[in-house]
Amino acid sequence: MNPLRLLPLLLAAVLLCVVSPVTRADGPTFAIRAGRIMPVAPDMDWVIEDGVILIVDGKIAAVGPGSSIDIPMDVPVTHLPDATITPGFVAASSDLVGSHSGDESIGPGYRAVDSFNVYGDFRPVLSGGVTTVHLSPGWHRLVSGQGGVVRLAGPAASRVLRDSSDLTITLGESVFNPPNIVEFLTKPSPDNAIEPARRQRPASRIDQYLALREAIADAVTPRQRGAAYNYQSEILGRLWADKHAVRVQAQKAGDIVGAIGFLASNGRSGYLVGGFEASKVADDLRSSGVPLVYTIDTAFHSPAGDVGSDPGSLVPDVDDLSALEGVRLALAMDNGGSVADLRLAAAMARRSGLSERTVLEAITRIPAELLGVGDRVGSIEPGHDADLLVLTGNPLDTTTHVQRVYVGGRSAFQMPTRHSLVVRGGTIWLGPDNWLTDGSVLIEDGRIVSVGKRVPVPMDAQVVDAGPDAFIAPGLIDGLGHLGLEGDSGALGPDLSLAPLYGVTEVAEQRVAAAGVTTVLAAPYRFHSRGSQITAVKTAGNTREQRVINATAAVAFDVRGNDPQSIEGALKQPLDAGKKYLEKWEKYEKDLAEWEKKKAEGKLEPVAKPEVVEEPEKKPEEDPITGTWSVRASGGPIPEPVDGKVALNLTGNQIEGRLTDPPEATELEHRITGTLNGKKVAGTVEINAPVDLPAPPFWEGEIIETDHIKGTAGLRGMIQVDIDMRRIDKESTQFKVTRTKRRTTGEDGRPLPPTVDDALEPIRSLLTGKIPAVVSAGSAAEIEAVLAVLSDQYKIEHIVFLGADDARLAIDKIKAGKAGVVLPTSVMRTEKRKPYLQGDDLRRNGIAVAFQSNAEDGARSLPTVGLYAVERGMSAEDVLEAMTIGAARMYRIDDRVGSIEPGKDGDLVIYSGHPFDAASRVERVFINGQEVSP
Amino acid sequence: MKPMRCGLIGAMAVAACVLSSGRHSAWAAEPPAKVALTGARVIPVVGPELDGATILIERGKITAVGTDVKVPFDAMEVDCRGKVIMPGLIEPQSWRGLDIANESLPVAPFLDVGDAMDPSRLYFEDALRDGITSIHVMQGNNTVIAGMSRVVRPIGLTPDEMTVDLGTAIKLSVSPRNGYDRMQQMATFRETFRELEEYTDSIAEAKYEESLEKEKKKVDVGPAEAAKRGRPMLKDSDYDDKHLNLLRLKRGDFDTWVYVGSPMDVSPAIALATEQGFLDHTILLIGDDTFKAIGELKKAGRPVVLPEDLFYRERDPISGEITETFIPKKIHDAGLMFALQPNPNSSMAERYLTYQAALCVRNGIPRQTALEAITLNPATMLGMGDRLGSIEAGKVANLVIYNGDPLDFNSWVENVYIDGILAYDRKDDPRLAEILRLEDVGRKVDEAKKAAEEAAKKKDEEKAAPKEGDAAPKPAEGDNAKPAEGGSEKPAESGRARPRRGDGQ
């Protein structure tokens, strides 16, 4: 290529690098489009439906309804239609760093951030939705130290939001009687005497205020000449002079009142933390205007502590919060509680009557403001850090989980997915006359696991809340279609299934799936005289295993237009062959059962040698194969070409032969078989080999010119060699062959199964009642003739009539034969020029019906057919049944599809209303628990 | 000129020496004037490896290295053909020569490890046997500010005799000591350095007043101004021990080795060092997962002493998967100088420095870097890069002679020269013989044989000539006992009996 032509490309690449937002170092730039956004910002809507958050360099640039925000072209968008987005939670109290180990009762020099691991992996906490945490220096000293505020993810240097957010003071029993201080003297001397341990205060409740006042007074007074230097006092003096925020930790009513008094008398603003007995002094709190971080005592991980009958004991109860109306409230976990449980603990606070709004604000915006980080976290507002939670539903619902956490726009936690899905909706149609209102369905690994009002919601589940108006039904089943045939109208024999046609969803198939038709009974356009297979297949999926429900779901025959007299003969031919085949199998199974019984009893007799019979080979006529061929094998693992001779005989298109040279090959009992297909030959070499081969060796080739075959042979997936064959003699070799009669028993006398005949296997399944017989019939005479053969003679239990145009005239017979009918594509029929609704007619007579598309991707209109049938007068319930469980039962695939029950496949369709309400549309489709893209 | 010989240092050897011959004075004695180690493969650590090279040692110093060095006529030539010589290994820091690792005082910069060193520790003997010729004896990590360290050689009977360098460095630990948490650890640092300022002010103020008193003037300024004026007048002698060493630490008179046991400690450590002005004199001792702060380590650009366990394994809290990190690779990739430590707690090969280096090579670090990490790098970190750590003319003759490549695990230390003195000879290592039970078994067999022979002789020559001295060895074996040829003998063969030193004396 001319390099000049590359130049614009290069330029574009360079430009892209320059302007691409991804290359900016500060933070990621992207947009989130989500089902619901709860910004928790004071001047924004409480909930933004279908909202967008634009994040630039890790900061929120814009937030609002999707319609109001322009997302730049180069910004990647994350679509989260089922998610609720909230700000990351802010825990205004935590014991994440524990208490400091210093002895000083007045220890403002201890900074909690010193103990924070900026490299820590806090995903277990982030998984609870908490992104910002206050670090407390402890509850064990009067002046406990300096608190800090950190976020739990992101680059180490960015994690500390405030290294000193407050001067923490603690009141109450926990600070009484601190340890004595022992000063180490390195060189004691008469001038520098060893003194007894210094006692510390406070000793009692009243003393704590006194000790505090004195410490502050001491700290703010300039040091006297010669007075000992005291580091802690110096820090206290500095913090106090700077009017540092004061945080008072207190639980008991008396201490809370004392704290309010302390703040007021010193003219300090601050906030309270703890407040177990706050409700007792709610009035004082309200009138003082001091905010409270109420710490919730939970028993999620261990039972509540025993308090006994001591009336002075604290019995924290989250129900008491109702008295705190009007107090600026934040919620946090009590010491010892796991910060990760904040969401659930806060949700419990609603018991006391707090609104959802108050509670959510109490773990986001309010604590962020109290901690002095309200301009960065706590709400989704432009300019704030992109600390966001992706939740599966309402943040305060018990079964809601955190799916993903962003901190500074970077993904900080991602719930590992396990392919579980929970679908909720106003109405769920489980099966005929079995409706569930406000229920949900849990699907795991593609199967329905649980159905009910309240199903388990695994932590990692995708939750789809379809809303109260939604109608959820099983995916529809097309009673007969030709999905994937692409117009190929050949009649497939009974040995061929359509299953190999299906793999990854194709566009046409996806169209059918998106219409809510999740299963198709796929059949060839024309049926073979010896029967054709019908395959039950899903309309979407990624692998054949996911797609194919049953490769042989039915055997189909066509008797239309036949003389009713000849129907019997036509049907009998394959059925008789099948019957013989079945009898062989039945004998085998009987023999096997007997053998096993004998074996169990230890009565097995010694096995006689397998009899050997001589079977002369028939002399074949002159043909392109028969004769002696020289064979040269080369390539693969063979170092040098090997020559040999093979004698082949052709009968019809079947090839049979032996190796005649080299001599050692002839000693090995073997038989070459194959088929001639036009110019192509393919087959296997059956060897009575002393070793177990994974499969018989194959050989295949093509007649490239007369008397010359080129091809390959070997073991599939292991060895492959090239073979070159030339006919050297056209005479059929009259070799004397001995052939061991097929063994009927194994070495230990165990009966061996008969040879599998692919063409008769479907008939065997049919005769054993595993699959139905599908018969395309029109006139009443045909129907009756079919029933006479199948039902009366062969006692086939499951018969499905395809079309059965004149079924009305043979209702009694159909009923007697317990047959079902797949209705013709046109639901309306006429009898004596009078139109009638065939489906309804049969249903009323107790005959099972199903609908068919008789089309490939035209099956997408199946719901419309149902809609029309309902409009013509059939009950919507009957149509839905016919299109779901009715069709499934007819084809005996009702163990997998057709209704919403535990154990069945996760094939669901969410409609905006009843599927046969003309106004309702298909909202979403799930097949095997995986959503089909619309 | 005969090299003075002594076997092992350690309780047994010391006792034997004291009792037998007073050889302990060897370490005070002059090294042999000239020794030439010839024919060995030399790994000088600086420059390419040399085959069949000669190392000339004069009065404890290396004077020449090369393949074309002529052996002076008056030099004692030691045939080292088939051997590999590399510089003596350096243990970058260890407390194991001390009776305890740390005092209970959190801030004790006035301590000196020399006061707690015990030359009879088996550790020194083991170090010598493993080819370690220099040990930086330093307090453990269970401290806030520890005492002064020393660089010693693993030979000598008193701490001072062993000492090569005094007051080498001080250890700081940013990771909390026992009973402390990080809040207290960091508060203690802040308090200590803040208190140093207060103390300096107070003595400066006193000094200023004193100076006025001399001139019979009255104090004319407030305390703050007095302190300010007094400060330039202060001399080191005005400080007490505790504060003096803190002052010297800040001033950079010696290096500060800072233990950062966790990644979260790196940033505070560097902030502290920057604030107090000793960052340029800082060596970082890292813990097992400190490498996670590689960005900050790289930015600081200070040399790093690696933890004893070179692999870090971690389980993901969500997925439960275990990840393994090879720490030296992370440090090397960041372009930082590093030193390796032996792992004394391992009963496996990690307790050999050479194995640690070999482990590095196996995990993708160049051989040269791995060799430097056990020789030249620790020497440089100790400020002794001009004296130790490589085989170059002018450097101290601390040499290790291996019977094969030092990084080959099948190789062992044959001889160790410290300051040009043959300090260790594998063949003269009774404890090793005891451990390996090789000599022992051999000797027993030999003794039994000898007893049988003698019994036979007795029978034969009952009336004949006087019998041979029972302790006198055969001439060939007797060579081993002759100090003069100690350096030139072949490697000991296992199971071969030799008389113990002193048997004939």
Side-chain angles (χ1 to χ4, degrees), chain A residues 833-844:
Chain A
R833 295 196 189 134
K834 203 175 130 199
Y836 74 99
L837 186 60
Q838 191 191 15
D840 191 45
D841 198 44
L842 296 174
R843 278 295 296 140
R844 282 168 196 250

Side-chain angles (χ1 to χ4, degrees), chain B residues 4 43 95 149 257 349 394 403 452 461 463:
Chain B
M4 301 303 290
I43 303 173
W95 66 266
S149 68
W257 289 45
N403 69 335
E461 305 170 350
K463 291 166 195 171

Side-chain angles (χ1 to χ4, degrees), chain A residues 803-815:
Chain A
D805 314 36
D806 289 345
R808 192 175 205 184
L809 304 175
I811 276 181
D812 291 341
K813 296 266 174 160
I814 293 173
K815 238 172 136 175

Side-chain angles (χ1 to χ4, degrees), chain A residues 101 114 119 223 225 234, chain B residues 184 190 194 198 205 296:
Chain A
S101 52
D114 286 339
Y119 286 92
R223 186 149 56 95
R225 187 181 161 79
E234 186 189 6
Chain B
Q184 193 174 7
R190 282 193 286 267
R194 183 72 195 89
E198 287 291 326
E205 192 186 331
E296 286 169 272

Side-chain angles (χ1 to χ4, degrees), chain A residues 97-104 109-119 121 123-124 127 136-138 144 146 156-157 184-187 223 225 229-232 234 238 413-414 416, chain B residues 104-107 110 179-188 190-192 194-195 198 205 209 223 241-242 262-268 289 292-296 314-319:
Chain A
V97 299
S99 302
H100 72 73
S101 52
D103 287 337
E104 294 92 336
Y110 297 110
R111 298 193 324 173
V113 283
D114 286 339
S115 278
F116 176 64
N117 188 354
V118 289
Y119 286 92
D121 183 351
R123 280 178 294 162
S127 72
S136 170
S144 314
Q146 301 171 47
F184 283 102
L185 291 177
T186 50
K187 281 185 180 167
R223 186 149 56 95
R225 187 181 161 79
Y229 170 74
N230 184 325
Y231 172 71
Q232 299 290 359
E234 186 189 6
R238 206 167 65 218
F413 168 78
Q414 170 85 52
Chain B
S104 59
L105 284 170
V107 179
F110 43 80
Y180 272 39
D181 70 330
R182 285 189 167 80
M183 283 187 248
Q184 193 174 7
Q185 190 84 5
M186 290 314 294
T188 308
R190 282 193 286 267
E191 178 172 358
T192 302
R194 183 72 195 89
E195 200 269 341
E198 287 291 326
E205 192 186 331
E209 284 169 13
D241 287 354
K242 177 182 174 184
S262 136
M264 63 186 285
D265 296 330
V266 175
S267 167
D289 65 338
K292 288 180 184 169
I294 194 71
E296 286 169 272
E314 187 176 36
R315 191 179 284 279
D316 185 293
I318 305 292
S319 70

Side-chain angles (χ1 to χ4, degrees), chain A residues 601-679:
Chain A
E601 291 168 354
K603 289 181 186 166
L604 279 185
E605 287 160 24
V607 189
K609 273 218 157 187
E611 19 174 342
V612 175
V613 291
E614 272 185 22
E615 280 182 21
E617 295 290 315
K618 278 182 237 160
K619 181 187 166 104
E621 289 160 27
E622 174 102 357
D623 55 56
I625 295 291
T626 304
T628 307
W629 296 71
S630 73
V631 187
R632 168 164 286 210
S634 60
I638 304 176
E640 279 171 25
V642 176
D643 290 312
K645 278 183 191 153
V646 62
L648 297 176
N649 289 342
L650 184 75
T651 317
N653 66 347
Q654 298 293 313
I655 303 167
E656 193 177 352
R658 303 288 184 281
L659 269 171
T660 57
D661 190 65
E664 56 267 32
T666 57
E667 285 166 18
L668 195 66
E669 240 181 283
H670 73 282
R671 176 175 171 233
I672 298 167
T673 57
T675 48
L676 174 68
N677 187 0
K679 292 252 170 219

